Structures are given as structure tokens and as C-alpha cells.
Amino acid sequence: MSDNERDYIQSIERGFAVLTAFDGDRPNPTLAELANATDLAKPVVRRILLTLQRLGYVANSGTRWSLTPRVLSIGQHYSATHTLLEQAMPHLLAVAEELHESASLGVLDGPDVVYAARVPVRRIMSINVSVGTRVPAYATSMGRALLAWAPRNLVDEVLARTEFRPLTTATITSAEQLEHELALVREKGYALTSEELEKGLISIAVPVRDQSGEVVAVIACSTSTGRTTPEDFERSAGACVSAAAAELSRGLGWTP
């Protein structure tokens, strides 16, 4: 057994698997539904639920379980320990105010992008987008702007873990296509996608760098095809989002 294996606590992994099994499709699951979603035995899931209940993170009503507000404190701890979020909000507000469109801060987590902060203006996506929402990196401008300057080993890991599904007729569906798109992003300095995550959605994303120059997040802005075209949105929003990302990067200590 390697040192890494000896240091690995499987019970914690299982506990988080049960917690993250609560989602929009399973807001109030039964024990059996959680066991099926996590591929864990029912007795194991039962012990985890009872532990989480004792800690205050879940509650039950009859045969069904639900998360409690205490779960929100986990995300609160993340926000409190990451000055990036605090510094990003004024820039997101400025983008949303100038463009009259929603602005977001995205970070990479495995093959997905997580919304770390968001200033919504109007609902343009059919999915419910809020802080903590995850979207696939390969089909989004945020994901491509994050991956374009990522270390090669991280890109390879994301490619290996990505299931290239056609979310719309415009979605790229292979690692080769994504590599081509990442090269275009590096050439332009930002990423633009149109109707790849969902029909009618256009999005532009610009990288945010820390003091070392590493891309640690992206600022993104989205609109709909009912309001503009990808080309017009690129012209109208590109400079604004790029300026916001550059200002946030400078605030994090990056010198161009």
C-alpha cells in the first residue's frame, strides 16, 4: 500500500458522495434513492445519513431526507478564505451595469466550471444558474478560457474525464475539437461560445490571473441570440469584459 493510499479516508469520500447526491432531481430522496445514486450499500448510506443528521447537515421527514441550511456554511467558509470573490464583485457589477447582461466569475473544478460569484440581470438560461452551479468545461466559454492557459497535465486530466456529449447541435464532441478551440482562445485572449451549452445562449469569458500569472478564474458575460448575434456580442462585450478581467488581475497582483 502506498503512502497516498494509507492517507486516504474512504469514509469521508462516502460522506461527501451522499451529500452531493442531493440535487435538483433529488431534493428529498429516500435512503434507497441515495444508495442507488452513490452505488453504496443501504446500511452504509443509513449510517452516513444518521451521522450527518447528528451534525446538523441533513434532516428527515418520514422516509425522505433533505439538506439543512447548515450546508450553506461550507460555501461561506470558501468565500471567507478567498479574497478573489470579494475583489471580483465590483467588477462583475460594473460589467452587468454597462452591458445590461448577467456577469459571472467561474473557477475550474475537474472537468466542470463552478460559478463562484454571479450578478444576474435577467434569466437567459433554462438551467437554474446560481453560485455553486456546475457546467461542463468543454461546452462553455468559461471552461475554454480556463483550460487555454492551464498546465498540460491538467488539460490532459480534464480531457480524460470529459464525456463529450452533444448538448445542442452546435456542441463540439471530441477532444480534438476542444484542442482546436483552445488554440483559438489563446490567439484571441478570450473565449466565445454560441449555443453550445444550450440553444439561444451566447457567452464570452476572459481569464483572470494571479500574481504569478496563473489563470485562477474567468469573468464571463452571457446574452441570448434573441437579443444579438455572436459577432455583435463579441464586439460590444469583448472590451468591457476584458477590461474587468484585467483590473481584477491587477488587484490580485498581476503585472501585464
Side-chain angles (χ1 to χ4, degrees):
M1 181 183 293
S2 68
D3 289 341
N4 286 340
E5 289 173 329
R6 280 195 296 267
D7 292 337
Y8 191 81
I9 304 176
Q10 190 179 52
S11 58
I12 293 180
E13 177 195 25
R14 290 174 172 176
F16 275 105
V18 171
L19 270 179
T20 55
F22 290 84
D23 58 19
D25 296 326
R26 289 182 296 271
N28 301 106
T30 63
L31 188 152
E33 289 171 343
L34 288 170
N36 182 62
T38 57
D39 290 326
L40 296 173
K42 290 182 183 178
V44 174
V45 174
R46 178 179 177 275
R47 290 196 299 272
I48 291 171
L49 286 171
L50 291 175
T51 301
L52 292 172
Q53 182 182 37
R54 185 170 180 177
L55 294 172
Y57 290 101
V58 300
N60 77 311
S61 178
T63 61
R64 297 200 168 270
W65 294 80
S66 61
L67 298 177
T68 70
R70 177 167 289 192
V71 174
L72 297 173
S73 66
I74 299 175
Q76 205 170 33
H77 291 309
Y78 175 87
S79 299
T81 57
H82 287 71
T83 58
L84 169 64
L85 303 186
E86 182 180 353
Q87 292 191 44
M89 285 308 297
H91 302 292
L92 297 181
L93 286 166
V95 169
E97 183 176 339
E98 179 173 338
L99 300 177
H100 305 291
E101 302 287 2
S102 299
S104 306
L105 184 80
V107 294
L108 192 65
D109 184 24
D112 297 329
V113 175
V114 178
Y115 282 81
R118 181 167 169 80
V119 177
V121 173
R122 59 178 58 81
R123 187 174 181 182
I124 60 172
M125 301 176 72
S126 60
I127 61 173
N128 183 24
V129 177
S130 58
V131 172
T133 296
R134 306 173 73 90
V135 291
Y138 77 97
T140 59
S141 64
M142 292 195 296
R144 292 177 192 176
L146 285 162
L147 288 172
W149 290 275
R152 185 67 240 180
N153 63 321
L154 178 57
V155 175
D156 290 339
E157 179 185 341
V158 170
L159 292 177
R161 295 176 59 187
T162 296
E163 180 186 354
F164 289 91
R165 295 185 295 113
L167 304 175
T168 71
T169 55
T171 310
I172 63 171
T173 55
S174 72
E176 291 75 20
Q177 287 178 302
L178 180 57
E179 293 275 20
H180 175 71
E181 291 298 325
L182 296 183
L184 293 178
V185 173
R186 286 189 289 270
E187 183 179 324
K188 287 185 171 183
Y190 58 86
L192 179 80
T193 55
S194 177
E195 302 193 271
E196 292 198 47
L197 180 62
E198 71 168 57
K199 189 172 176 59
L201 177 68
I202 305 171
S203 181
I204 190 168
V206 182
V208 173
R209 300 176 184 274
D210 65 8
Q211 186 175 7
S212 68
E214 178 184 354
V215 174
V216 293
V218 291
I219 288 182
C221 185
S222 302
T223 189
S224 70
T225 54
R227 291 174 54 78
T228 187
T229 65
E231 295 77 17
D232 285 343
F233 188 60
E234 185 173 10
R235 284 191 291 269
S236 63
C240 175
V241 179
S242 295
E247 288 178 18
L248 177 55
S249 297
R250 283 192 287 271
L252 295 175
W254 178 62
T255 302

